[in-house]
Amino acid sequence: SGGPTMSNSYEELLAEVRLLQDAGKLPVRPTREQRIDWAYGNTKIENSDVTREMAERAVDEKLAAGK
């Protein structure tokens, strides 16, 4: 397909992701670092007082709880 484009539907993108996961080219579950980046980026938008260390702590607590 030549890679994703802005015209791809959600279903098409999801199918591409699953193919990459099945081929072992994309992790099925996000890594710790990806989770931290996501948590930090999303919370920083809402609250400028949030630090990366806070996001790391929150992610580590969730991972320790098996979530």
Side-chain angles (χ1 to χ4, degrees):
S1 81
T5 66
M6 292 302 286
S7 63
N8 286 114
S9 72
Y10 173 76
E11 291 79 17
E12 290 170 325
L13 292 173
L14 188 57
E16 261 187 78
V17 166
R18 288 192 174 134
L19 284 173
L20 290 170
Q21 289 173 331
D22 290 345
K25 295 181 180 179
L26 190 68
V28 175
R29 304 205 69 162
T31 65
R32 176 182 177 269
E33 198 61 35
Q34 288 170 324
R35 290 174 189 242
I36 292 168
D37 288 345
W38 183 88
Y40 176 66
N42 283 288
T43 55
K44 186 71 171 182
I45 291 169
E46 298 292 326
N47 182 347
S48 63
D49 293 333
V50 170
T51 65
R52 183 164 178 84
E53 290 76 23
M54 293 165 82
E56 288 176 9
R57 194 166 44 249
V59 166
D60 288 342
E61 287 172 7
K62 290 276 188 187
L63 289 173
K67 296 180 181 179

